[in-house]
Amino acid sequence: MPSGDPRRRIGGEETQAMPADGRRRRGDGPGGRGPGGPGGSGPDGPGGRGPRGPRDSDDDDGKPRRTGWKRFIPNWKIVVAGFTILVAGVFGMIAVAYANTPIPKGTQADAIAQGSVIYYRDGKTPIGRVGQSRVNIDDINKIPRHVQDAVIAAENRSFRDDSGISFKGLMRSVWMTVTGEQVQGASTITQQMARNYYDGLSREVSAQRKIKEIFIAIKLNKEMKKEDILLQYLNTVPFGRGANGIEAAARAFFKKHVWELNEAQAAYLAGRIQSPTTFDVLEKEGKFAATQERFAYVIDGMAQLDPAKYGGLPAKYGVQGAKLVDAKKFPKLAKQSDKDTLGGLKGYMIIQVMEELKQGGLSPDQVRSGGYKITSTFDKRLMSAAQKAVKDRMRAGALSKEFHAGLAAVDPRNGRVLAFYGGDDYVTRNLNEAFDAKKQAASAFKPYVLAAWLDSGRSLTSFVPGNKTVPEELPGTKPIGNSHNVGAAIDLVTATAQSVNTAFASMGYELDEKSGTVGELSAVKQVAIDAGLDKGRMEQDVRDHKYAFTIGSALVTPVEQAAGYSIFANAGKHVDYHVVQEVKRGKLVVVPEQATVKNVISPEAAADATVAMEEVLKTGTARGKGIGRPAAGKTGTNNDEKEAWFVGYTPQLVTAVGMYHEQCYTKSGKRVPLKNLACPEKAQPKEVSLGFEGAGPPTDIWRAFMLEAMKDEKVEQFPPRSSTGQPDNIVPSPTPTPTPTPEDEFPLDGMFPPDNTDNCDPMDLSCNGMGDLDPGNGHGNGNGHGNGRGNGDPWGDNGFGQSPAMAPAPSPSGGRRTTTGTGK
């Protein structure tokens, strides 16, 4: 149709033709065209619009077109549709997430963690528990209803009726998460049980974890009975004092079983669930306001929960308006002390067991939670006998707390430490004198030289130097001598019985010279190391002191010496000392006994060495102090009598006793008294003279202990003298017989150089290697004895414990002496 045709007829009606631009044109009239008319020219030009009216619109419905900011507001229909889609999507995602969140199958380690028990060697008598005991109640009916209701009143009053979650608490938690605040708990008992028990639910503070917990709680509520949920919760929830589960808590706080708890005790425990660790800290400080507030809250809640049954509890227990107004009605708690765990002798035993297990790969945390039965090597009767022997002799000699003694008794056939004395109370002083005190062995080291000599094929009939060493100048060593005349030549039995320094130093040199290892003391050093003495200390001492090594300049502990002498008591064989017989979980042996036998010297060498050491108790330095049965041993005394030893044995038992004396001095040289068995702050321990030799109190303690230890044991004989080997006379056989002396003497003070003078006081001439002007100046580097103290589980995180969940290692003394002479 030509474009000029203005109108068409459709269905008998006239209509305006569609212009070329595709727009329909409105007729004239209000809101219509301007004066130009169809095809005419208005103000907008040919065919254009006239001025728009306020209600002009391009919409067919005739509604006005929105202008300005209103045009950005979506139509309400779009808003409704979008919201509907959003809600449907959210609920869809929730449904999918819920369906894909299974109830975990595994349990958390903490939920089933069980403390381990350490036993004496009989496997029946417990020494102590490491970690907390857990006693699971198998029937909810064994837990009184008022105990159940106390927990419900404290934690989730709608528990018996809710769906496993609290919508009110949930909304509060969501709001705090949205506003950026920490996620608040408001968890139901079902949620808490899921969090505490099932593996895969962490305790992190996050909305994701909370949502997962909610889904699991809802599912648990559908699949488990309320009674079962509550029982599982009560068996796993922590209450403080390390007690997990209601039965453990009843024992820890009231020394009762759960079925013996009254309403007040139940309310107290229920109140503790909110923050057990915080309440522990406060109550240890004597602050009970927080737990009293919770107690009152629970009592009041029980009354609201069941007025008919508990309505009288507030008045009965001094509670008004959920406040405790009569503190006398607050339940009395059982006392808690570290002594319950580590006090007295048992602390030393437990820590030593934990340390050995740690070295073997079983960490303190594993021990605390593994539920192991650990059988130690310790004999209960002998542990008490060791303490009594030491304490009785200390009292008899009126020895003060400055005097220290360590005792260790080892079965030479298997390396088991049957008894030791390391101190009276681990909580007061955690240094174990038997295992940690490293002191110069003095003449108690000489049997290792004798062993190397005999094991090399030389005989006991060899003659060795008496009055001077051969050669007189030993490489790298200051002159070694004796304080009394023993003759030019003596046999090895006499040399051992009288502990002659020159003889053993010369023997060490002879062994080196014949093997081409002068200055290395290879044979003696190897015997000592194979007998269990610390390799690093032995090698270092040879480097530092050369042939003084043969007369005991090296550092040893009582337990090392007891195990070391096993080569003489056990036909030349050695088993490393150990304190654990077995570790079991149920019927499964997790850690077997570590008792590898090593041949160190020949049986013949061991037998002949024993012959020589028997004379020590018969005619030598410790004569007259035998025990009425075959026994052998060796005394030892350090310079100025700062350290004294006796190590002796029967075929069944080796016992070593070491003693030393420490006093506390300030930097200015002022002596100060001990404080809690340790030097006070800014004071250092310093070894001073004991005032006696190895044949004195150390031998007396050894004898008293051995008489008790061997009283029920059959008498066993040592192997007879073998008389094998060839004589190797370093000096010609003597003509006169030397006169025995009551005790051998150390070389003169200052004979041996100090190991390290870096920390010497400029005025300490002895420390600087210039002589011993002060007989009490023998304190060496690293001497830390007397400072160890402890008040708990040494592993809590590590730590063994206690935590360890383990305690820090003590700083034993053992700095080498500035005058490292030895003797007796």
Side-chain angles (χ1 to χ4, degrees), residues 90-127:
V90 170
F91 276 96
M93 288 189 292
I94 291 175
V96 171
Y98 177 81
N100 291 328
T101 303
I103 296 177
K105 300 298 182 183
T107 54
Q108 294 182 21
D110 288 346
I112 57 174
Q114 182 67 277
S116 299
V117 180
I118 300 174
Y119 293 86
Y120 285 100
R121 68 169 176 162
D122 62 6
K124 299 177 181 178
T125 308
I127 296 172

Side-chain angles (χ1 to χ4, degrees), residues 17 62 72 260 390 395 426 449 480 507 547 597 619 622 668 732 741:
F72 295 107
E260 297 174 322
V390 172
R395 281 191 290 266
Y426 182 85
V449 182
I480 293 176
M507 290 161 65
Y547 289 94
V597 179
T619 63
S668 63
T741 55

Side-chain angles (χ1 to χ4, degrees), residues 410 415 448 531-532 558-567 574-577 654:
V410 174
Y448 302 114
V559 73
E560 286 176 335
Q561 282 288 70
Y565 272 47
S566 67
I567 64 175
H574 171 76
V575 180
D576 287 343
Y577 75 82
V654 185

Side-chain angles (χ1 to χ4, degrees), residues 701-721:
I701 292 170
W702 174 86
R703 183 174 187 273
F705 172 77
M706 290 293 282
L707 285 171
E708 177 63 25
M710 304 304 297
K711 70 179 183 180
D712 296 324
E713 300 292 331
K714 68 177 182 178
V715 175
E716 292 187 14
Q717 302 296 324
F718 289 122
R721 180 170 177 162

Side-chain angles (χ1 to χ4, degrees), residues 120-136:
Y120 285 100
R121 68 169 176 162
D122 62 6
K124 299 177 181 178
T125 308
I127 296 172
R129 179 179 293 276
V130 179
Q132 289 299 319
S133 62
R134 182 188 298 279
V135 181
N136 287 336

